[in-house]
PDB file of all heavy atoms in Angstrom:
ATOM      1  N   GLN A 382     192.380 122.021  32.640  1.00  0.00           N
ATOM      2  CA  GLN A 382     193.613 121.591  33.288  1.00  0.00           C
ATOM      3  C   GLN A 382     194.386 122.795  33.832  1.00  0.00           C
ATOM      4  O   GLN A 382     194.264 123.909  33.315  1.00  0.00           O
ATOM      5  CB  GLN A 382     194.509 120.830  32.297  1.00  0.00           C
ATOM      6  CG  GLN A 382     193.858 119.613  31.667  1.00  0.00           C
ATOM      7  CD  GLN A 382     193.609 118.505  32.670  1.00  0.00           C
ATOM      8  OE1 GLN A 382     194.399 118.285  33.577  1.00  0.00           O
ATOM      9  NE2 GLN A 382     192.498 117.802  32.502  1.00  0.00           N
ATOM     10  N   SER A 383     195.183 122.579  34.878  1.00  0.00           N
ATOM     11  CA  SER A 383     196.038 123.638  35.426  1.00  0.00           C
ATOM     12  C   SER A 383     196.973 124.165  34.343  1.00  0.00           C
ATOM     13  O   SER A 383     197.480 123.403  33.516  1.00  0.00           O
ATOM     14  CB  SER A 383     196.878 123.106  36.595  1.00  0.00           C
ATOM     15  OG  SER A 383     196.184 123.203  37.797  1.00  0.00           O
ATOM     16  N   GLY A 384     197.203 125.487  34.372  1.00  0.00           N
ATOM     17  CA  GLY A 384     198.115 126.109  33.422  1.00  0.00           C
ATOM     18  C   GLY A 384     197.448 126.628  32.174  1.00  0.00           C
ATOM     19  O   GLY A 384     198.067 127.372  31.403  1.00  0.00           O
ATOM     20  N   GLU A 385     196.178 126.260  31.954  1.00  0.00           N
ATOM     21  CA  GLU A 385     195.462 126.793  30.804  1.00  0.00           C
ATOM     22  C   GLU A 385     195.032 128.224  31.083  1.00  0.00           C
ATOM     23  O   GLU A 385     194.924 128.654  32.235  1.00  0.00           O
ATOM     24  CB  GLU A 385     194.256 125.912  30.475  1.00  0.00           C
ATOM     25  CG  GLU A 385     194.660 124.525  30.011  1.00  0.00           C
ATOM     26  CD  GLU A 385     193.503 123.588  29.807  1.00  0.00           C
ATOM     27  OE1 GLU A 385     192.346 123.983  30.071  1.00  0.00           O
ATOM     28  OE2 GLU A 385     193.752 122.437  29.389  1.00  0.00           O
ATOM     29  N   GLY A 386     194.756 128.974  30.033  1.00  0.00           N
ATOM     30  CA  GLY A 386     194.447 130.385  30.191  1.00  0.00           C
ATOM     31  C   GLY A 386     193.109 130.636  30.845  1.00  0.00           C
ATOM     32  O   GLY A 386     192.127 129.935  30.596  1.00  0.00           O
ATOM     33  N   CYS A 387     193.085 131.671  31.699  1.00  0.00           N
ATOM     34  CA  CYS A 387     191.820 132.095  32.309  1.00  0.00           C
ATOM     35  C   CYS A 387     190.897 132.618  31.211  1.00  0.00           C
ATOM     36  O   CYS A 387     191.346 133.359  30.338  1.00  0.00           O
ATOM     37  CB  CYS A 387     192.082 133.175  33.358  1.00  0.00           C
ATOM     38  SG  CYS A 387     190.580 133.925  34.030  1.00  0.00           S
ATOM     39  N   PRO A 388     189.607 132.284  31.251  1.00  0.00           N
ATOM     40  CA  PRO A 388     188.689 132.765  30.216  1.00  0.00           C
ATOM     41  C   PRO A 388     188.398 134.254  30.311  1.00  0.00           C
ATOM     42  O   PRO A 388     187.897 134.846  29.354  1.00  0.00           O
ATOM     43  CB  PRO A 388     187.420 131.940  30.455  1.00  0.00           C
ATOM     44  CG  PRO A 388     187.478 131.571  31.900  1.00  0.00           C
ATOM     45  CD  PRO A 388     188.938 131.384  32.206  1.00  0.00           C
ATOM     46  N   ASN A 389     188.731 134.876  31.473  1.00  0.00           N
ATOM     47  CA  ASN A 389     188.378 136.279  31.683  1.00  0.00           C
ATOM     48  C   ASN A 389     189.551 137.243  31.687  1.00  0.00           C
ATOM     49  O   ASN A 389     189.351 138.451  31.692  1.00  0.00           O
ATOM     50  CB  ASN A 389     187.613 136.431  33.008  1.00  0.00           C
ATOM     51  CG  ASN A 389     186.264 135.743  32.972  1.00  0.00           C
ATOM     52  OD1 ASN A 389     185.745 135.434  31.907  1.00  0.00           O
ATOM     53  ND2 ASN A 389     185.693 135.501  34.134  1.00  0.00           N
ATOM     54  N   CYS A 390     190.792 136.724  31.731  1.00  0.00           N
ATOM     55  CA  CYS A 390     191.949 137.621  31.744  1.00  0.00           C
ATOM     56  C   CYS A 390     193.146 136.904  31.130  1.00  0.00           C
ATOM     57  O   CYS A 390     193.011 135.809  30.585  1.00  0.00           O
ATOM     58  CB  CYS A 390     192.257 138.116  33.158  1.00  0.00           C
ATOM     59  SG  CYS A 390     192.987 136.872  34.261  1.00  0.00           S
ATOM     60  N   ASP A 391     194.342 137.530  31.236  1.00  0.00           N
ATOM     61  CA  ASP A 391     195.530 136.968  30.589  1.00  0.00           C
ATOM     62  C   ASP A 391     196.348 136.071  31.517  1.00  0.00           C
ATOM     63  O   ASP A 391     197.475 135.686  31.198  1.00  0.00           O
ATOM     64  CB  ASP A 391     196.423 138.099  30.048  1.00  0.00           C
ATOM     65  CG  ASP A 391     196.862 139.056  31.149  1.00  0.00           C
ATOM     66  OD1 ASP A 391     196.472 138.859  32.325  1.00  0.00           O
ATOM     67  OD2 ASP A 391     197.593 140.018  30.837  1.00  0.00           O
ATOM     68  N   ASN A 392     195.786 135.738  32.679  1.00  0.00           N
ATOM     69  CA  ASN A 392     196.481 134.876  33.638  1.00  0.00           C
ATOM     70  C   ASN A 392     196.165 133.403  33.344  1.00  0.00           C
ATOM     71  O   ASN A 392     195.264 133.088  32.564  1.00  0.00           O
ATOM     72  CB  ASN A 392     196.036 135.232  35.061  1.00  0.00           C
ATOM     73  CG  ASN A 392     196.959 134.680  36.120  1.00  0.00           C
ATOM     74  OD1 ASN A 392     198.162 134.595  35.917  1.00  0.00           O
ATOM     75  ND2 ASN A 392     196.398 134.294  37.252  1.00  0.00           N
ATOM     76  N   ASN A 393     196.917 132.510  33.990  1.00  0.00           N
ATOM     77  CA  ASN A 393     196.649 131.078  33.868  1.00  0.00           C
ATOM     78  C   ASN A 393     195.846 130.570  35.055  1.00  0.00           C
ATOM     79  O   ASN A 393     195.928 131.122  36.160  1.00  0.00           O
ATOM     80  CB  ASN A 393     197.956 130.287  33.761  1.00  0.00           C
ATOM     81  CG  ASN A 393     198.641 130.489  32.434  1.00  0.00           C
ATOM     82  OD1 ASN A 393     197.999 130.823  31.434  1.00  0.00           O
ATOM     83  ND2 ASN A 393     199.948 130.296  32.397  1.00  0.00           N
ATOM     84  N   LEU A 394     195.104 129.507  34.836  1.00  0.00           N
ATOM     85  CA  LEU A 394     194.273 128.917  35.882  1.00  0.00           C
ATOM     86  C   LEU A 394     195.064 127.940  36.739  1.00  0.00           C
ATOM     87  O   LEU A 394     195.980 127.270  36.255  1.00  0.00           O
ATOM     88  CB  LEU A 394     193.094 128.171  35.263  1.00  0.00           C
ATOM     89  CG  LEU A 394     192.064 128.998  34.507  1.00  0.00           C
ATOM     90  CD1 LEU A 394     191.054 128.073  33.833  1.00  0.00           C
ATOM     91  CD2 LEU A 394     191.345 129.972  35.433  1.00  0.00           C
ATOM     92  N   GLU A 395     194.701 127.877  38.013  1.00  0.00           N
ATOM     93  CA  GLU A 395     195.199 126.840  38.911  1.00  0.00           C
ATOM     94  C   GLU A 395     194.029 125.905  39.194  1.00  0.00           C
ATOM     95  O   GLU A 395     192.916 126.349  39.485  1.00  0.00           O
ATOM     96  CB  GLU A 395     195.702 127.441  40.221  1.00  0.00           C
ATOM     97  CG  GLU A 395     196.210 126.402  41.213  1.00  0.00           C
ATOM     98  CD  GLU A 395     196.515 126.978  42.583  1.00  0.00           C
ATOM     99  OE1 GLU A 395     196.267 128.176  42.799  1.00  0.00           O
ATOM    100  OE2 GLU A 395     196.985 126.200  43.450  1.00  0.00           O
ATOM    101  N   VAL A 396     194.262 124.618  39.084  1.00  0.00           N
ATOM    102  CA  VAL A 396     193.222 123.627  39.373  1.00  0.00           C
ATOM    103  C   VAL A 396     193.602 122.886  40.652  1.00  0.00           C
ATOM    104  O   VAL A 396     194.716 122.373  40.763  1.00  0.00           O
ATOM    105  CB  VAL A 396     193.049 122.636  38.203  1.00  0.00           C
ATOM    106  CG1 VAL A 396     192.042 121.553  38.554  1.00  0.00           C
ATOM    107  CG2 VAL A 396     192.599 123.380  36.944  1.00  0.00           C
ATOM    108  N   PHE A 397     192.697 122.866  41.625  1.00  0.00           N
ATOM    109  CA  PHE A 397     192.995 122.234  42.907  1.00  0.00           C
ATOM    110  C   PHE A 397     191.736 121.642  43.507  1.00  0.00           C
ATOM    111  O   PHE A 397     190.624 121.903  43.044  1.00  0.00           O
ATOM    112  CB  PHE A 397     193.622 123.234  43.886  1.00  0.00           C
ATOM    113  CG  PHE A 397     192.838 124.516  44.051  1.00  0.00           C
ATOM    114  CD1 PHE A 397     191.719 124.576  44.872  1.00  0.00           C
ATOM    115  CD2 PHE A 397     193.232 125.671  43.378  1.00  0.00           C
ATOM    116  CE1 PHE A 397     191.001 125.753  45.022  1.00  0.00           C
ATOM    117  CE2 PHE A 397     192.516 126.848  43.517  1.00  0.00           C
ATOM    118  CZ  PHE A 397     191.408 126.891  44.341  1.00  0.00           C
ATOM    119  N   THR A 398     191.911 120.830  44.533  1.00  0.00           N
ATOM    120  CA  THR A 398     190.771 120.213  45.208  1.00  0.00           C
ATOM    121  C   THR A 398     190.215 121.141  46.283  1.00  0.00           C
ATOM    122  O   THR A 398     190.941 121.950  46.868  1.00  0.00           O
ATOM    123  CB  THR A 398     191.149 118.864  45.844  1.00  0.00           C
ATOM    124  OG1 THR A 398     192.250 119.053  46.730  1.00  0.00           O
ATOM    125  CG2 THR A 398     191.522 117.854  44.780  1.00  0.00           C
TER     126      THR A 398
END
Side-chain angles (χ1 to χ4, degrees):
Q382 302 292 324
S383 273
E385 294 174 357
C387 173
N389 294 342
C390 73
D391 58 359
N392 196 34
N393 289 335
L394 295 174
E395 179 189 4
V396 176
F397 52 80
T398 56

